[in-house]
């Protein structure tokens, strides 16, 4: 049992962070999952500008005193942020008792049949009361479904066909395209109309295309002006006097 530490003079306590394992430095992920995690987390930070939130990949969540942390592939928690001194032991991972709430969304990417995403992990996230639990199974290790979305209703998870997560104002969708020079099918966040949240690179490319379009329009306008001026001169009219 983790030692309890009294907070101020109240009857409220939290586990001693110095006795918790906040990281173990063991690399266990694969190229595909790591890139997919980066896409999901990066697009949130490049697209959501007016709301406070915390999104992370492979960061432990401590949810229950005496229980080990669970490490989702990706989680998203609104209205919280990383403490200023994130190197302090108690600030290195997501401790529900310090942030005051569980994440709204937890997401697992299935790589094999050993993760028990539909069993023990689902039970933990349900007990934690994360509003949504998403299981992305690109290689269909757990059955025919590539994407499963669970919504917390009361104290239980119910699988839903809805990919729009009403409580967080985001959706998830499968998207075919290129991310970091890799053409594949990706899981992405989306708005209610299905438009995906852009990464920083996509946003920069969109801006480059917009600027190029504006440049072409300006060139075409200049060419039309020059053509009109040439026609006026051919008619004996000086366009500069008009």
């Amino acid at each position: 049992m983790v030692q309890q530490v009294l907070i101020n003079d109240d009857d409220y306590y939290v586990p001693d962070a110095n006795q918790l394992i906040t990281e173990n430095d063991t690399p266990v992920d694969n190229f595909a999952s790591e890139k997919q995690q980066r896409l999901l987390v990066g697009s949130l930070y490049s697209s959501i500008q007016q709301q406070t939130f915390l999104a992370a990949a492979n960061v432990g969540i401590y949810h229950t005193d005496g229980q080990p942390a669970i490490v989702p592939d990706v989680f998203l928690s609104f209205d919280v942020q990383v403490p200023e001194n994130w190197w302090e032991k108690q600030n290195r991972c997501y401790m529900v008792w310090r942030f005051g709430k569980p994440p709204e969304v937890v997401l697992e990417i299935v790589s094999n049949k050993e993760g028990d995403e539909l069993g023990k992990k689902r039970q933990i996230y349900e007990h934690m009361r994360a509003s949504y639990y998403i299981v992305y199974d690109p290689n269909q290790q757990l059955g025919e479904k590539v994407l499963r979305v669970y919504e917390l209703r009361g104290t239980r998870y119910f699988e839903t066909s809805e990919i729009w997560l009403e409580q967080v104002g985001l959706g998830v969708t499968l998207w075919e395209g290129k991310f970091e020079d890799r053409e594949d099918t990706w899981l992405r966040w989306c708005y209610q109309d299905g438009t995906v949240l852009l990464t920083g690179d996509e946003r920069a490319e969109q801006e480059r295309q917009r600027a190029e379009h504006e440049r072409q329009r300006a060139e075409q306008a200049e060419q039309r002006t020059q053509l009109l001026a040439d026609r006026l001169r051919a008619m004996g009219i000086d366009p500069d006097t008009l």
Side-chain angles (χ1 to χ4, degrees):
M1 179 67 68
V2 177
Q3 177 184 345
Q4 306 301 332
V5 178
L6 192 65
I7 298 297
N8 296 325
D9 296 324
D10 300 325
D11 293 330
Y12 179 76
Y13 58 81
V14 297
D16 181 3
N18 290 321
Q19 299 186 39
L20 302 179
I21 299 174
T22 55
E23 63 277 311
N24 60 20
D25 299 322
T26 302
V28 293
D29 231 326
N30 57 73
F31 290 125
S33 292
E34 187 276 336
K35 195 177 286 288
Q36 175 66 81
Q37 292 161 12
R38 193 164 60 253
L39 170 58
L40 288 166
V41 173
S43 59
L44 287 169
Y45 280 104
S46 66
S47 296
I48 301 178
Q49 305 295 331
Q50 304 301 321
Q51 191 168 2
T52 300
F53 70 93
L54 172 59
N58 281 324
V59 172
I61 301 175
Y62 274 97
H63 51 93
T64 304
D65 178 26
Q67 296 297 317
I70 188 167
V71 186
D73 286 311
V74 174
F75 73 79
L76 170 61
S77 186
F78 285 97
D79 301 318
V80 299
Q81 55 188 344
V82 176
E84 186 67 26
N85 188 350
W86 58 10
W87 287 112
E88 290 184 3
K89 184 74 171 178
Q90 68 269 21
N91 296 333
R92 291 187 181 185
C93 63
Y94 196 103
M95 301 180 188
V96 172
W97 50 85
R98 293 189 64 84
F99 285 94
K101 57 183 283 292
E104 277 79 12
V105 183
V106 288
L107 188 150
E108 295 285 357
I109 302 167
V110 180
S111 301
N112 50 55
K113 297 180 180 180
E114 301 174 5
D116 204 14
E117 285 84 3
L118 302 182
K120 183 63 175 178
K121 285 185 178 178
R122 175 183 162 179
Q123 293 173 5
I124 292 173
Y125 293 132
E126 184 178 71
H127 175 74
M128 188 197 306
R129 299 182 64 78
S131 300
Y132 296 98
Y133 174 39
I134 299 170
V135 180
Y136 178 43
D137 186 11
N139 291 317
Q140 297 174 296
Q141 297 281 340
L142 306 180
E144 295 183 0
K145 291 185 179 180
V146 173
L147 184 63
R148 293 177 172 88
V149 178
Y150 296 92
E151 181 180 17
L152 189 69
R153 300 173 188 169
T155 60
R156 300 294 302 277
Y157 272 143
F158 291 86
E159 187 171 0
T160 175
S161 59
E162 283 290 330
I163 60 172
W164 176 249
L165 315 179
E166 183 69 33
Q167 296 182 52
V168 297
L170 286 173
V172 286
T173 187
L174 297 177
W175 174 86
E176 293 186 8
K178 183 179 290 187
F179 172 61
E180 294 183 349
D181 294 326
R182 177 74 184 198
E183 192 80 29
D184 210 331
T185 300
W186 303 94
L187 180 66
R188 300 196 63 165
W189 304 106
C190 66
Y191 299 106
Q192 197 162 13
D193 64 358
T195 305
V196 297
L197 274 65
L198 298 180
T199 66
D201 287 344
E202 288 171 333
R203 195 171 294 280
E205 175 61 19
Q206 189 179 72
E207 179 60 26
R208 187 198 66 78
Q209 292 180 0
R210 187 197 65 78
E212 176 64 18
H213 180 66
E214 291 297 322
R215 185 190 65 79
Q216 292 177 356
R217 287 183 58 186
E219 286 184 353
Q220 292 171 357
E222 183 177 356
Q223 290 172 357
R224 288 194 296 269
T225 299
Q226 185 60 48
L227 180 60
L228 177 60
D230 291 342
R231 289 178 177 175
L232 289 172
R233 290 190 181 95
M235 297 170 59
I237 302 172
D238 185 356
D240 295 331
T241 61
L242 299 178

